[in-house]
Amino acid sequence: MSRPRLKVIVTRRLPKPVEKRLAEFFDVTLRDSDEPMTRTELVEAVQTCDVLVPTLNDRINSGLIGQAAERLKLIANYGAGIDHIDVHTARQNGILVSNTPDVLTDDTADMTMALILAVTRRLPDGLAKMQSGDWQGWSPTDLLGRRITGRRLGIIGMGRIGQAVATRARAFSMQIHYHDRQRLRPVVEEGIGANYWEDLDDMIAGMDVISINCPYTTESYHLMNARRLRLMKPDAVIVNTSRGELIDEGALTRMISRGAIAGAGLDVFEHRSAANPDLKPRGSVVLMPHMGSATVEGRLEMGERVVLNIKTFHDGHRPPDQVIPSMV
Ligand code: DGY
């Protein structure tokens, strides 16, 4: 006798092939709209499904989890970051949480490099010149950026994405430095030629480029606060492809406008769907609408991970990408 299909609710429109895959295996309710669910819709969802597939736009906090029906047993996040899910409360309520790590590592690292290059080489200024039709031909003095070869890159958070950034930056002959709560094993450190700094402040003060690649947790909120931003060299730039909450965006905006920091490449913002209105995009300030993982391949692979996590769970095993509360 075949087992009943799991009732799965997806909170956001996903790429069509992913939706098709989910429908192959589960009794899935897909979302037509590309708008995130309202609170009321989320409450209804957690009361009527076995598995919820949310995205980073949904706040799965203790209040919501408290309203979930007994039948909700798995939150299979479509995405790697799980800062929007209260994993501890979920665990206390017997609900497992899984995510989709690995498959967006390379894409996010590529975006980090793209931002580093865009900011240091002033790509937006060049683009604007071409688009305005003002370009008069090559000039020895126009649009001069800064070389990245030989410059010191300080990576904050040397997990999968941090290491992928390091590998890429090495190919650009940058010097690799990093800070993390946990030092890499010597063999890994040597493999990527990275220099460890136990003291984050000391590292920040000596870098030409800072890249934020650590997850957002209650401890890492405003990790780059005004005091730490002030430690940066005035000609240094900062790049963030992780979560906006890691930088005090107001302080960063003020420092950029008075020239205390040379530039910023931001793919994420403190208030999620909008950048600080005073943070004006220009050559040395490159703002992207959270596109770090936005590739067709990445999105499809994220879908496959979600399917695998749910199927494995349905087969009575731990989802391969289960998030353990102690990891958060
Ligand atoms: C994630 O999955 O958490 C990423 O930030 C999406 O780009």
Side-chain angles (χ1 to χ4, degrees):
M1 205 174 71
S2 65
R3 287 177 302 168
R5 290 180 140 212
L6 283 179
K7 167 93 180 134
V8 175
I9 296 186
V10 182
T11 67
R12 190 79 191 257
R13 185 193 296 161
L14 301 180
K16 280 284 164 257
V18 174
E19 295 188 339
K20 234 175 115 190
R21 287 283 286 160
L22 286 162
E24 259 177 55
F25 298 104
F26 314 113
D27 170 13
V28 67
T29 304
L30 300 168
R31 184 152 172 86
D32 289 334
S33 155
D34 194 30
E35 294 292 311
M37 281 188 170
T38 62
R39 196 69 183 165
T40 313
E41 288 173 313
L42 273 177
V43 170
E44 200 187 318
V46 296
Q47 290 178 345
T48 49
C49 68
D50 305 305
V51 179
L52 185 74
V53 178
T55 70
L56 58 87
N57 302 105
D58 305 305
R59 254 184 94 220
I60 317 287
N61 58 9
S62 57
L64 184 78
I65 293 169
Q67 295 184 71
E70 277 275 303
R71 67 183 289 188
L72 179 66
K73 288 288 173 242
L74 174 64
I75 298 170
N77 189 51
Y78 182 79
I82 33 89
D83 44 273
H84 56 296
I85 303 174
D86 185 338
V87 180
H88 293 272
T89 304
R91 162 62 73 92
Q92 279 160 11
N93 286 259
I95 302 166
L96 302 185
V97 176
S98 63
N99 66 344
T100 63
D102 299 325
V103 292
L104 29 76
T105 299
D106 288 325
D107 297 327
T108 309
D110 289 346
M111 180 58 82
T112 305
M113 286 311 298
L115 286 173
I116 293 174
L117 287 164
V119 172
T120 55
R121 297 300 302 273
R122 302 180 51 189
L123 297 195
D125 283 344
L127 213 59
K129 188 154 252 190
M130 294 307 283
Q131 279 166 348
S132 69
D134 280 351
W135 188 51
Q136 307 286 326
W138 187 82
S139 149
T141 55
D142 197 18
L143 292 172
L144 304 186
R146 297 303 298 265
R147 173 187 289 167
I148 64 165
T149 303
R151 298 192 85 195
R152 292 157 72 93
L153 169 66
I155 298 173
I156 303 179
M158 202 52 140
R160 297 179 182 92
I161 297 175
Q163 290 180 43
V165 170
T167 308
R168 284 157 176 73
R170 253 194 116 189
F172 282 83
S173 301
M174 295 189 84
Q175 296 177 44
I176 312 301
H177 300 262
Y178 77 99
H179 168 85
D180 199 302
R181 282 182 306 187
Q182 253 187 319
R183 186 170 181 168
L184 296 174
R185 284 181 296 122
V187 58
V188 181
E189 217 173 65
E190 267 166 43
I192 48 181
N195 182 31
Y196 178 65
W197 293 73
E198 192 170 344
D199 189 301
L200 176 59
D201 291 359
D202 287 348
M203 182 181 87
I204 291 169
M207 298 296 121
D208 302 306
V209 179
I210 297 285
S211 174
I212 302 191
N213 298 106
C214 58
Y216 168 45
T217 62
T218 35
E219 289 86 56
S220 63
Y221 174 75
H222 279 190
L223 184 77
M224 287 302 288
N225 53 23
R227 183 189 66 77
R228 288 213 170 101
L229 289 167
R230 278 197 299 273
L231 294 174
M232 287 174 64
K233 300 196 296 178
D235 62 350
V237 303
I238 186 164
V239 166
N240 187 7
T241 52
S242 176
R243 286 289 183 269
E245 290 90 337
L246 290 156
I247 302 182
D248 179 342
E249 202 171 294
L252 176 67
T253 305
R254 288 189 293 278
M255 289 183 69
I256 287 178
S257 55
R258 57 170 201 272
I261 288 179
L266 307 178
D267 187 43
V268 284
F269 304 95
E270 187 167 349
H271 300 290
R272 296 275 162 139
S273 50
N276 185 310
D278 296 326
L279 201 53
K280 302 279 183 252
R282 55 178 181 273
S284 60
V285 178
V286 180
L287 309 180
M288 286 287 147
H290 201 155
M291 286 170 62
S293 68
T295 66
V296 172
E297 295 84 352
R299 291 284 188 263
L300 298 185
E301 288 170 12
M302 285 161 72
E304 284 306 312
R305 295 294 277 250
V306 169
V307 169
L308 182 66
N309 281 313
I310 304 175
K311 280 185 78 195
T312 311
F313 165 76
H314 198 204
D315 290 343
H317 307 291
R318 282 159 55 110
D321 303 315
Q322 183 183 351
V323 178
I324 312 293
S326 62
M327 289 160 52
V328 181

